Amino acid sequence: MSEPTPIAPPRRAALAPAAPVHLNAEIVVRARQLIALYPERRSALIPLCHLAQEQDGWLTPEAMVDIAGLVGVTPGEVLGTASFYDMLHTEPVGRHVVAVCTNIACLLGGAAELLEHAEHSLGIGAGGTTADGAITLEEAECLADCDRVPCVQVNHRYVGAQTPESFDQLVADLRSGARDADIPPHGTLIRVRRTTGIEADPVAVAEERRLAAVARSARADAADGAGA
Amino acid sequence: MGDQDAETGGTDAPVDEGVEFTIDGRTVRARKGEMLIAAAERAGTFIPRFCYHPRMEPVGMCRMCLVEVSGPRGATLMPSCFIEAAPGMEIVTDSAKVKKAQDGVLEFLLINHPLDCPVCDKGGECPLQDQTLAYGPGESRFVEEKRHFEKPIPISDLVLLDRERCIQCSRCTRFADEVAGEAQIDFIGRGEQIQIGTFPELPFTSYFSGNTVQICPVGALTATPYRFTARPWDLDQVESTCTTCSVGCRVAVQSSSNRLTRLLGIDIDPVNHGWLCDKGRFAADAVNSEDRLTEPMIRKEGALVAVSWHEALEAVATGLKAAVAERPESVGIIGGARLTNEGAYAWARLAKGVLGTDSVDAQIGDGLPAELVLGLPRATIDQAASASTVVLLTGDVREELPVLFLRLRAAAVDGDVAIVELSPQATSLTAHAEVSLRYGPGDAAALVDALVSGGTPPNAAAEPGALDRARQLMGEGPVVVIVGRPSLAEDGELVADAARKLSAALPEARFLPALRRGNVLGALDMGLAPGVLPGRVALEDGRAWFEEAWGSVPLARGRGTADMLAAAAGDQAEGSAVTALVLLGADPLTDFPDRRLAERALDAADFVVAVVTAPGAALDHADVVLPAAEAHERPGTTTNLEGRVFRLGQKLVPPGQAWPDWMIAGELAVHLGHDLGFDSVGTVWDEIERVAVSHRGITRTVLDAHGAADGVVAPLSLSKVSLARRNAPLDPVAVPGVESVERQGASLQAGLAASPNAAADGPEAADPSDGGPSRPAVLSGPGEFAVPHVAPADGYSVRLVASRVLYDGGAAVASVSTLAGLVAPGALRANPHDLDELGVSSGGQVRLRSATASAVVPVEPDASLPRKVVAADFNVPLGDGTVADLIDRAFPVVDLRMESL
Amino acid sequence: MAIADPPKIVTSRLGFDDSHTLERYLATGGYEGLRTALAKTPEDVAAEVDAASLLGRGGAGFPAGRKWSMLRKAAVTYLVVNGDESEPATFKDHLLVERDPHQLIEGVVIAAYALQVTRVFIFVRGEFALGLERVQAALNDAYAHGAVGRDIFGSGFSVDVVVHPGAGAYICGEETALLESLEGKRGFPRIKPPFFPAAIGLYGDPTVVNNVETMSNLPWIMTNGGAAFAALGAGRSTGTRLFALAGHVNNPGVFELEMVKTTFNDLINAPRLGGGVPHGRGLKAFIPGGVSAPWFGPDQIDLPLGQDEVAEAGSMLGSGSIVVMDDHTCAVRAAWRITKFFSRESCGQCTPCREGSGWLERIMDRIERGEGREEDLDLLLDACDNISPGVAWPPQQTTICVLGPSIPSSISSAITMFRDEFLVHIKEGGCPYG
Ligand SMILES: Cc1cc2nc3c(=O)[nH]c(=O)nc-3n(C[C@H](O)[C@H](O)[C@H](O)COP(=O)(O)O)c2cc1C
Ligand code: SF4
Ligand code: FES
């Protein structure tokens, strides 16, 4: 993270959250639909981070500011939360994120050697991005496909067990666009939209939660009464 | 706590309810819902800890406080900070298993901790260091490379972060989120890589950031101003009260070699819960300023030259005598809210009893009628924080009384109180308010009328239902009204009128005056206001009593600051002139909300005396300058907005020949031919206790009693004085309560003069029966004051709101370099529709014009403002000047033309 | 012991290429269980599940019926489905989510009906992009079919089901961390007590958290009855279970087997199952229930696949994943990799887990690279002891969640079973297996 510049931001800025400026209109519409699925806005924080990655490929500071406004937290909380999760990249990544699992089952199946090959042939270490911005290589933890080892995912799509040779072919295909049909660019996670459903009607949820609160306090009173 | 009817003394009285459980075989009692760690501590068993803080929700993260707790499956290790004591529970804190777990946690904490204690600010008072000595393993078995991060990075102008030292206890992040309500710092990353951080380009600007430094159990967060200034074992400390604002947070004042090194918050239940705002914490540094005035000075041939006290006082006496000889009211005394109670009393007696002038005013045009403040039934902070409804009729509490904001915010967030806000603009409590109603300057009373009698509000834009909701909430007692000055560009009487209407409609409501300056309420109690005498007594009611006590009392009510300045400037054709002005630690040029009037008044006055601690613009106008001692350099007492009287601790010797204010008044009286009979600050207090009826019973013995560590609220309500035992949870890790300060190495000179159980005489018992005049009654009710007529706005003008920000250009901030950088230039805020009509966009400029002034200022939209109402922050740069240049106190509200350029 | 040939309870449809579609689902008896359930009272549905003695399939093995009965009565309650599957070498929920999402949804609605919850969230591991798409598509179809949403199949019962994507953090499989994550926060597990989800769960309201496989059993139980389910298996371990077999076997994969009636030996060596260790090598050790579990040696291979049986032998069936290591496997390296996993995945709250996992990883790494010291073995075990006092099974803990005490499992297993191998690394400065 870059060093913060010690400047006092406009004091009253915090009083009115700004409307999204970085996320595009379509993403904002989808973001608001997602927010409506949850009784509390903040629950949509991670789905919104995925959406932002769909737009930008990674989670930019500008997107985090927008998300903060949309779900009602500070940008610091978006960064703090997002940085907990491996899939949310708060630094730029390549168009394709190639994840090689080296956890136990894959390790027993030669994953360390595959990763070493990948680092060598891509010319980058795990965590690095190739100079052309095409590939980011990651050493992954278990990807839950342990009967096809060593397991590799590209942009969270399984591409099956890989040998050094098939890996090089995979990278070539990714670079040439030959896999574009089955592997969307990094950031795009769920291409199926929710078409129907009962949205979390805020009024109804509020009423539910009010009733819950009444019940809670009644319980507390009862407990107090019992304790006295 | 803090109520007067709790038990006396400092012993741990038995908790009669609660639960019985055993610690290491000993049967003890816990309060209901109390965590084991706290219950154990009260019972004398200290369980080591890092993340637990008694004023925040427990998280159970550091795992240092593990103890064995009996359960259905045998004894298991549990975090004592997270487990409530339950009946019959058996806990073991000293078994080999517990010891091993604690050793293990310490070893784990230390593996990645840079052992840079010799260069760490926390060295010597570091719980990690201490606990390593007390509980830790010997040799480190860690031979690998430690985790590395860039060494301290500034996360704001005030706070540095050293991530290598961080032990991930989350105290700072929880404080920022839970207590301050601004999660500007947070954990970043996961697992071993987890670290504290801010968002890029968004520094940690919270007004409360210094608390995170104080509660950080290691040296991960350090304060820029105090970096490397001292080692804890060199520090001397005394308990005192912060007088930066009138909340009165309890502090430990620490010094080394007669320099103030830092202020730490002390946790007291009724007031600050251990917290301080950054202004209070860091502005205390002003006392160290190189610019402090150290010698009396007299203007000779145009220049101020140093003279002896004798010569200076002689000159003051001569000047004042000349003025008084004409008429006593030719002398006006402005200021006093920064003095101790004793200083304020001495000056009040000097003015009213010796000089004979009643034109004395501690409120510099930014207050409320003294009779109202003193007469309305006063609420305590606790009463506000536990009221059913709090009505806000004041400025932005976070900007003016920051720690009161924390208390109110916490109460609102916990759902304990409902807030009804009446304000011309959004404030930091708006988000927590159940109802927020807007009004334009001058319309507060009309809004209250609409609320209490069901009429239509002045600002028709109120949301439908909002008024009804507000009415409903105000009908649900107990109600506390917080009344202050939403704007310095309208007369205080206009707000006072609204408060008066509220008190008439809600007879049970109590009022908390949100007046800002450190001891403004003490100054009013001591009579530093026209029309009142010490002890919250009206001039006429107290005449006989004080003639007996003082020998004489002014013949008639005097003037307030605005009228004094107008009279000095020659504006008041009908009234007689003010020719001599005494400025008691006040500078009308920066503080009075009409700068041009202040300037004309000081120019025109024949004789100006400035009693000051540091240079300021007023010195240019002064004929005599008397150097006064600052906070922390003088003993005495101060009074907060609740009326709570606190002992002040003196830690520093005043520089050069600066004197405490009571002494200046006393010596000046001698030069005027009167002996006030004060030979120590204590004798001043004794007189206050004797003659100020509201303070009867608050003897020095009472103030010094151990039980009075949390202050004593005046007036005492009961005939038998008994005091609360200090009951606040202490945080030995990093919130130094008295005990923990000692534990952390330096001794605390708490100055406990009397035995804790020293019985005090109640007010009744102290009644003299020597046949003298009977004691006057204290003021009650909102009092009499004239409400100026406000002409309706003309449709072409905008009406100005001048509100306050914490970091203003005032003396306290300006003399501390770390804070001065935080003063941000302001902009004129206006309703976006009004700006659209003018064709001005955000970031653009407009011209503001009054009959006598004009300025070009930057603008920004603020949708919270009603149409035709504009707002700007007082005392920060606005365009080429400040908003004070545009205010004309000859009018009750300020109407301006706003034009595009 | 013969390999039992039980009914396929959760894998019956997996032979079809279009097993994830509504058409296939309906053609193979789909949503019949739900219709059966809706015809009963919620209490009767819960009673049926209780009778089945369905143990949770997420790892802890708590009986679903019991958990449901503990749900605190409240105006707002939630059901949250745990599809975060990240325990290394566990890949059964992956299969169910991708290949039979309707079965999961049907199970979820049955549970929602029995519990009368307000809302359901299916938390699916973020890395399951295809799985997320499949569940969302299936949900859309299920809504259209009337199996989810308002007035389900005309029963008057309504419930909304929301798919929530994870974002890559193993700890979010721990149920309270999952709830935190679902609330939009970092996945810090909550302290139990008092945060048992059934009492204080999502948004502070009572919540049932159940695993994907647990839910996927419900349609069958509704159709065939709890008693039929309980008739399978033995003791507390009823029904069938998915076992994910990985590592050094000829035929790795997910197998649905009757509980207890099958042994580890069957699973690893039977030709129709694991097919034995390849290249004619011997069995060195196997991990019986996910990498959090202590290892077993060849002498324990005849243990039956039953929850209590494995527990009595000092380990756990956990998430039902079995990792086989042949006799050419470096135990130090295997244990190091598992330790590295925990170090990367520790959430970072608890000092012992945050700092201990990283320290242990570094020591293990040093030993593996041939830079170990003899005293490192005692140090490893003592540091483990400071995370999990006694380093025994079932573990004690100095931490908030059981990720902490899972860290020592592989280290102490490896040291106990293969101490010599550590000493070779230390004394000879390298690995005997190259
Ligand atoms: C570190 C850790 C990781 C876990 N991961 C998972 C997981 O990926 N999937 C799962 O269903 N349960 C997981 N669990 C278990 C859950 O906490 C919980 O017991 C389970 O979801 C309950 O569902 P069940 O009763 O249906 O098994 C994990 C527990 C721990 C401590
Ligand atoms: S044991 Fe580890 S993973 Fe579990 S809560 Fe503690 S730090 Fe997080
Ligand atoms: S875990 Fe109890 S004090 Fe930190």
Side-chain angles (χ1 to χ4, degrees):
Chain A
M1 223 189 60
S2 63
E3 216 173 87
T5 339
I7 19 135
R11 178 178 64 85
R12 281 166 202 276
L15 296 181
V21 291
H22 173 77
L23 297 176
N24 68 44
E26 190 243 302
I27 295 276
V28 171
V29 168
R30 283 167 59 198
R32 296 223 156 95
Q33 286 165 350
L34 283 174
I35 290 169
L37 298 180
Y38 301 93
E40 291 185 6
R41 277 194 294 168
R42 184 164 178 170
S43 276
L45 191 150
I46 290 164
L48 261 54
C49 290
H50 282 307
L51 272 191
Q53 295 204 134
E54 179 170 335
Q55 176 180 305
D56 297 325
W58 63 289
L59 193 54
T60 64
E62 295 77 14
M64 286 192 264
V65 171
D66 281 2
I67 292 169
L70 283 164
V71 304
V73 300
T74 65
E77 285 172 294
V78 178
L79 172 65
T81 307
S83 61
F84 186 87
Y85 296 97
D86 293 340
M87 290 174 70
L88 303 176
H89 294 269
T90 55
E91 302 286 339
V93 291
R95 227 165 23 261
H96 298 290
V97 174
V98 177
V100 177
C101 170
T102 60
N103 206 306
I104 186 74
C106 290
L107 186 83
L108 299 178
E113 293 73 18
L114 178 68
L115 181 65
E116 204 174 310
H117 168 81
E119 290 180 333
H120 190 76
S121 76
L122 291 169
I124 50 176
T129 301
T130 55
D132 63 354
I135 310 285
T136 293
L137 180 66
E138 278 185 350
E139 177 182 6
E141 294 301 342
C142 179
L143 293 167
D145 211 26
C146 318
D147 51 350
R148 292 181 290 167
V149 297
C151 170
V152 175
Q153 271 195 342
V154 179
N155 304 339
H156 307 299
R157 266 74 189 171
Y158 292 102
V159 292
Q162 298 291 322
T163 61
E165 299 71 40
S166 71
F167 183 86
D168 290 345
Q169 184 60 46
L170 172 68
V171 168
D173 289 348
L174 290 172
R175 282 200 160 114
S176 71
R179 301 292 299 261
D180 285 4
D182 59 320
I183 302 178
H186 180 257
T188 299
L189 193 65
I190 315 172
R191 291 163 299 180
V192 180
R193 308 266 171 278
R194 180 181 165 102
T195 51
T196 61
I198 312 170
E199 316 257 281
D201 169 17
V203 179
V205 171
E207 180 58 11
E208 286 167 10
R209 299 189 63 74
R210 194 186 65 75
L211 289 171
V214 169
R216 262 200 295 277
S217 76
R219 245 190 341 274
D221 290 349
D224 282 353
Chain B
M1 292 309 300
D3 42 336
Q4 315 296 296
D5 48 356
E7 74 272 24
T8 308
T11 51
D12 242 26
V15 186
D16 29 41
E17 47 171 272
V19 295
E20 210 171 72
F21 71 110
T22 68
I23 302 176
D24 302 329
R26 233 161 22 101
T27 300
V28 298
R29 273 184 170 278
R31 303 193 175 104
K32 209 158 162 284
E34 195 173 21
M35 294 300 172
L36 288 174
I37 197 169
E41 189 169 356
R42 281 194 310 103
T45 300
F46 182 79
I47 300 172
R49 77 290 296 268
F50 291 109
C51 66
Y52 173 73
H53 186 287
R55 291 292 183 188
M56 298 194 286
E57 292 293 320
V59 285
M61 282 172 61
C62 75
R63 318 303 290 173
M64 190 65 197
C65 69
L66 293 176
V67 295
E68 286 190 88
V69 179
S70 62
R73 288 187 290 145
T76 45
L77 289 171
M78 305 252 234
S80 57
C81 69
F82 213 95
I83 307 291
E84 280 180 19
M89 197 178 246
E90 291 166 24
I91 77 165
V92 177
T93 70
D94 57 2
S95 65
K97 189 168 169 190
V98 168
K99 176 88 173 73
K100 174 106 175 36
Q102 290 172 351
D103 281 358
V105 168
L106 271 175
E107 180 176 40
F108 287 137
L109 284 176
L110 290 171
I111 61 176
N112 277 307
H113 192 78
L115 296 172
D116 58 351
C117 311
V119 295
C120 177
D121 266 358
K122 200 80 179 178
E125 56 174 7
C126 174
L128 183 60
Q129 212 177 28
D130 297 347
Q131 296 193 22
T132 302
L133 285 177
Y135 306 92
E139 281 288 283
S140 173
R141 302 183 289 178
F142 184 78
V143 297
E144 354 285 320
E145 179 77 356
K146 286 181 192 274
R147 189 159 59 213
H148 282 302
F149 289 116
E150 192 186 332
K151 269 298 187 182
I153 52 171
I155 55 170
S156 75
D157 283 354
L158 297 170
V159 181
L160 294 162
L161 167 65
D162 184 326
R163 291 163 295 176
E164 289 182 348
R165 293 182 187 149
C166 171
I167 58 166
Q168 287 83 19
C169 68
S170 83
R171 282 171 154 231
C172 60
T173 55
R174 277 181 288 149
F175 174 83
D177 183 21
E178 263 177 45
V179 182
E182 322 161 88
Q184 296 173 327
I185 50 172
D186 203 357
F187 276 135
I188 295 177
R190 184 178 75 211
E192 216 199 0
Q193 291 306 316
I194 208 162
Q195 50 172 288
I196 298 297
T198 49
F199 193 77
E201 315 295 324
L202 289 182
F204 184 29
T205 53
S206 167
Y207 287 162
F208 304 99
S209 69
N211 295 298
T212 64
V213 174
Q214 180 172 339
I215 63 176
C216 178
V218 290
L221 292 169
T222 48
T224 319
Y226 297 128
R227 239 182 142 227
F228 304 135
T229 54
R231 290 314 230 160
W233 48 84
D234 297 331
L235 291 177
D236 239 358
Q237 54 190 339
V238 67
E239 185 171 332
S240 191
T241 289
C242 173
T243 51
T244 305
C245 82
S246 60
V247 173
C249 297
R250 210 58 184 152
V251 292
V253 181
Q254 301 187 328
S255 72
S256 164
S257 315
N258 205 40
R259 274 184 76 79
L260 183 128
T261 29
R262 66 178 172 185
L263 242 51
L264 293 172
I266 284 181
D267 194 327
I268 69 170
D269 257 336
V271 182
N272 58 314
H273 292 187
W275 314 128
L276 300 179
C277 74
D278 286 357
K279 185 175 178 182
R281 185 184 299 269
F282 296 115
D285 227 14
V287 73
N288 293 331
S289 166
E290 297 296 316
D291 297 341
R292 289 287 303 282
L293 296 176
T294 56
E295 289 165 307
M297 293 186 285
I298 293 185
R299 189 168 301 279
K300 290 184 177 165
E301 292 159 13
L304 287 171
V305 294
V307 296
S308 68
W309 268 106
H310 181 84
E311 188 179 344
L313 290 173
E314 220 21 66
V316 176
T318 309
L320 294 182
K321 267 190 229 154
V324 169
E326 239 167 86
R327 272 167 304 99
E329 313 89 79
S330 310
V331 176
I333 299 183
I334 297 176
R338 300 259 172 235
L339 311 188
T340 58
N341 286 328
E342 290 81 353
Y345 175 82
W347 275 96
R349 183 171 164 196
L350 178 73
K352 299 193 175 183
V354 176
L355 295 169
T357 177
D358 190 53
S359 291
V360 177
D361 192 6
Q363 305 187 89
I364 313 165
D366 58 2
L368 294 166
E371 287 91 338
L372 176 102
V373 173
L374 298 176
L376 286 176
R378 191 85 63 93
T380 61
I381 296 175
D382 273 351
Q383 283 168 340
S386 60
S388 170
T389 301
V390 164
V391 179
L392 294 176
L393 181 61
T394 183
D396 193 328
V397 180
R398 189 176 63 170
E399 305 294 337
E400 304 194 353
L401 302 162
V403 172
L404 178 62
F405 164 79
L406 293 186
R407 294 288 313 268
L408 293 175
R409 179 191 170 276
V413 168
D414 292 349
D416 295 344
V417 304
I419 292 179
V420 173
E421 179 182 64
L422 315 181
S423 165
Q425 58 182 332
T427 72
S428 17
L429 279 171
T430 303
H432 303 289
E434 282 264 325
V435 184
S436 194
L437 296 170
R438 300 275 166 266
Y439 68 88
D443 289 340
L447 176 57
V448 168
D449 270 341
L451 276 173
V452 300
S453 56
T456 25
N459 171 27
E463 259 179 60
L467 273 139
D468 288 336
R469 180 80 185 116
R471 279 181 202 120
Q472 182 198 346
L473 290 170
M474 286 160 58
E476 291 166 7
V479 176
V480 169
V481 181
I482 302 197
V483 56
R485 285 291 295 273
S487 169
L488 305 180
E490 65 177 334
D491 271 1
E493 282 74 8
L494 294 168
V495 186
D497 189 28
R500 177 160 59 187
K501 291 189 151 127
L502 279 171
S503 88
L506 306 168
E508 301 296 316
R510 305 190 77 84
F511 291 76
L512 189 60
L515 300 177
R516 212 174 50 95
R517 288 193 185 77
N519 195 25
V520 61
L521 289 144
L524 297 184
D525 282 353
M526 294 302 115
L528 283 185
V532 298
L533 289 166
R536 305 187 186 174
V537 174
L539 181 63
E540 290 315 322
D541 296 344
R543 180 171 295 285
W545 175 265
F546 278 95
E547 273 173 352
E548 164 93 4
W550 287 355
S552 77
V553 174
L555 295 173
R557 186 189 175 90
R559 298 179 170 102
T561 300
D563 289 340
M564 277 188 252
L565 293 174
D571 288 357
Q572 285 186 331
E574 76 280 16
S576 48
V578 165
T579 56
L581 282 172
V582 180
L583 307 178
L584 275 184
D587 186 348
L589 294 175
T590 53
D591 296 338
F592 184 72
D594 176 347
R595 184 190 332 271
R596 289 169 298 147
L597 173 59
E599 209 154 280
R600 285 190 295 117
L602 290 179
D603 278 346
D606 294 338
F607 186 60
V608 177
V609 180
V611 184
V612 286
T613 60
L619 289 202
D620 295 344
H621 299 268
D623 297 290
V624 184
V625 176
L626 304 178
E630 265 264 33
H632 317 306
E633 292 172 346
R634 50 188 192 193
T637 59
T638 190
T639 302
N640 82 346
L641 44 70
E642 306 164 287
R644 185 180 300 276
V645 181
F646 289 110
R647 265 287 191 215
L648 290 168
Q650 181 190 352
K651 195 71 232 84
L652 307 167
V653 179
Q657 307 196 34
W659 283 0
D661 300 282
W662 67 267
M663 195 191 285
I664 298 175
E667 291 298 315
L668 182 53
V670 171
H671 285 262
L672 288 163
H674 290 257
D675 182 359
L676 303 183
F678 302 149
D679 51 23
S680 71
V681 70
T683 53
V684 186
W685 184 264
D686 291 345
E687 182 168 316
I688 293 171
E689 194 275 328
R690 206 168 57 245
V691 306
V693 291
S694 59
H695 287 54
R696 290 310 286 274
I698 308 179
T699 60
R700 273 202 269 170
T701 316
V702 167
L703 278 175
D704 286 342
H706 191 67
D710 293 354
V712 180
V713 177
L716 294 172
S717 53
L718 297 170
S719 53
K720 175 86 180 72
V721 183
S722 56
L723 295 161
R725 161 172 61 87
R726 174 167 287 175
N727 202 13
L730 296 171
D731 169 23
V733 169
V735 171
V738 182
E739 287 84 340
S740 68
V741 170
E742 280 165 356
R743 183 170 303 147
Q744 290 190 353
S747 73
L748 187 82
Q749 304 170 358
L752 300 181
S755 98
N757 289 314
D761 288 338
E764 309 307 328
D767 204 3
S769 45
D770 55 6
S774 63
R775 273 193 302 131
V778 295
L779 285 159
S780 86
E784 295 293 316
F785 51 88
V787 181
H789 173 70
V790 179
D794 63 11
Y796 302 103
S797 302
V798 290
R799 207 152 255 190
L800 178 68
V801 172
S803 43
R804 291 229 179 236
V805 280
L806 187 66
Y807 297 132
D808 59 11
V813 171
S815 61
V816 179
S817 59
T818 38
L819 290 181
L822 297 175
V823 179
L828 186 80
R829 302 184 292 278
N831 186 291
H833 297 294
D834 291 342
L835 291 179
D836 286 348
E837 263 173 28
L838 278 186
V840 181
S841 54
S842 174
Q845 294 192 314
V846 295
R847 180 179 300 282
L848 289 177
R849 219 187 270 286
S850 73
T852 51
S854 144
V856 174
V857 301
V859 287
E860 65 186 32
D862 180 345
S864 82
L865 285 163
R867 295 294 302 266
K868 303 283 177 199
V869 174
V870 297
D873 295 330
F874 186 74
N875 249 353
V876 296
L878 178 70
D880 292 335
T882 75
V883 74
D885 299 327
L886 293 166
I887 298 174
D888 187 343
R889 282 291 48 171
F891 301 96
V893 296
V894 177
D895 284 332
L896 300 165
R897 293 296 170 91
M898 181 166 74
E899 301 158 1
S900 57
L901 296 181
Chain C
M1 215 182 277
I3 303 164
D5 227 340
K8 295 239 173 282
I9 292 180
V10 292
T11 58
S12 65
R13 245 161 254 110
L14 300 194
F16 299 100
D17 281 348
D18 60 352
S19 60
H20 59 281
T21 62
L22 181 63
E23 295 67 41
R24 173 63 61 195
Y25 195 62
L26 294 176
T28 49
Y31 291 114
E32 287 309 316
L34 174 58
R35 287 182 193 277
T36 311
L38 292 173
K40 302 177 185 233
T41 65
E43 292 74 23
D44 286 347
V45 174
E48 204 68 56
V49 174
D50 207 26
S53 173
L54 172 66
L55 299 185
R57 303 299 199 233
F62 195 82
R66 276 258 308 285
K67 187 183 281 187
W68 292 9
S69 70
M70 284 156 49
L71 184 71
R72 186 162 57 74
K73 295 269 173 300
V76 179
T77 53
Y78 298 103
L79 169 64
V80 173
V81 179
N82 189 341
D84 191 54
E85 188 167 65
S86 315
E87 178 82 12
T90 310
F91 49 107
K92 58 180 184 82
D93 295 341
H94 171 199
L95 196 75
L96 294 176
V97 159
E98 258 181 30
R99 305 278 299 282
D100 206 345
H102 281 288
Q103 178 174 266
L104 169 63
I105 291 166
E106 183 177 357
V108 159
V109 179
I110 292 169
Y113 175 70
L115 294 164
Q116 293 288 301
V117 296
T118 328
R119 199 173 300 276
V120 180
F121 296 94
I122 305 183
F123 186 107
V124 177
R125 181 172 178 186
E127 287 90 343
F128 294 169
L130 179 61
L132 280 159
E133 291 180 340
R134 289 255 169 101
V135 178
Q136 185 60 64
L139 255 182
N140 289 344
D141 291 346
Y143 268 108
H145 184 64
V148 187
R150 286 196 205 284
D151 193 15
I152 295 170
F153 293 150
S155 67
F157 175 65
S158 304
V159 75
D160 191 27
V161 179
V162 172
V163 185
H164 182 93
Y170 163 68
I171 192 59
C172 294
E174 196 283 334
E175 57 189 7
T176 57
L178 183 145
L179 296 179
E180 287 283 301
S181 187
L182 193 47
E183 290 181 10
K185 304 172 189 159
R186 63 177 70 78
F188 275 178
R190 300 172 179 172
I191 299 187
K192 300 182 268 187
F195 293 109
F196 290 111
I200 310 173
L202 188 63
Y203 312 119
D205 295 322
T207 303
V208 162
V209 182
N210 267 139
N211 168 262
V212 162
E213 185 188 340
T214 314
M215 290 288 105
S216 298
N217 275 294
L218 297 178
W220 193 93
I221 292 175
M222 279 306 113
T223 316
N224 298 279
F229 191 86
L232 298 165
R236 285 206 312 145
S237 302
T238 58
T240 62
R241 211 185 148 162
L242 293 184
F243 292 96
L245 181 65
H248 293 142
V249 284
N250 279 309
N251 185 25
V254 176
F255 303 96
E256 180 169 0
L257 299 174
E258 190 176 351
M259 300 264 277
V260 193
K261 299 292 169 59
T262 321
T263 65
F264 285 101
N265 191 10
D266 298 333
L267 175 62
I268 294 169
N269 289 318
R272 13 181 315 219
L273 302 177
V277 178
H279 313 301
R281 290 182 182 165
L283 173 70
K284 176 172 193 156
F286 63 98
I287 314 178
V291 300
S292 306
W295 302 359
F296 279 162
D299 50 332
Q300 277 142 316
I301 196 161
D302 289 323
L303 277 172
L305 294 166
Q307 183 159 307
D308 296 335
E309 290 78 358
V310 176
E312 276 157 29
S315 187
M316 65 167 178
L317 208 46
S319 60
S321 85
I322 289 94
V323 181
V324 177
M325 295 181 248
D326 70 17
D327 55 14
H328 282 50
T329 308
C330 170
V332 179
R333 189 162 150 87
W336 158 75
R337 185 59 186 85
I338 292 168
T339 310
K340 172 172 164 169
F341 165 76
F342 285 122
S343 165
R344 277 178 75 167
E345 298 296 342
S346 164
C347 81
Q349 296 191 80
C350 311
T351 305
C353 174
R354 178 186 66 242
E355 304 294 339
S357 61
W359 189 13
L360 291 168
E361 185 210 331
R362 280 179 269 186
I363 300 171
M364 291 292 290
D365 180 46
R366 213 157 32 76
I367 297 175
E368 213 266 324
R369 283 187 285 106
E371 293 167 22
R373 309 164 302 174
E374 251 185 277
E375 64 263 37
D376 283 340
L377 298 190
D378 285 344
L379 176 55
L380 282 169
L381 290 175
D382 191 56
C384 284
D385 187 85
N386 287 339
I387 301 172
S388 180
V391 199
W393 199 264
Q396 300 199 350
Q397 63 198 66
T398 58
T399 54
I400 291 173
C401 85
V402 299
L403 188 148
S406 300
I407 307 168
S409 291
S410 53
I411 296 176
S412 76
S413 294
I415 295 181
T416 319
M417 295 166 73
F418 308 106
R419 195 177 188 97
D420 292 350
E421 228 170 275
F422 279 81
L423 293 176
V424 171
H425 276 82
I426 289 166
K427 291 190 179 137
E428 293 172 16
C431 179
Y433 302 101

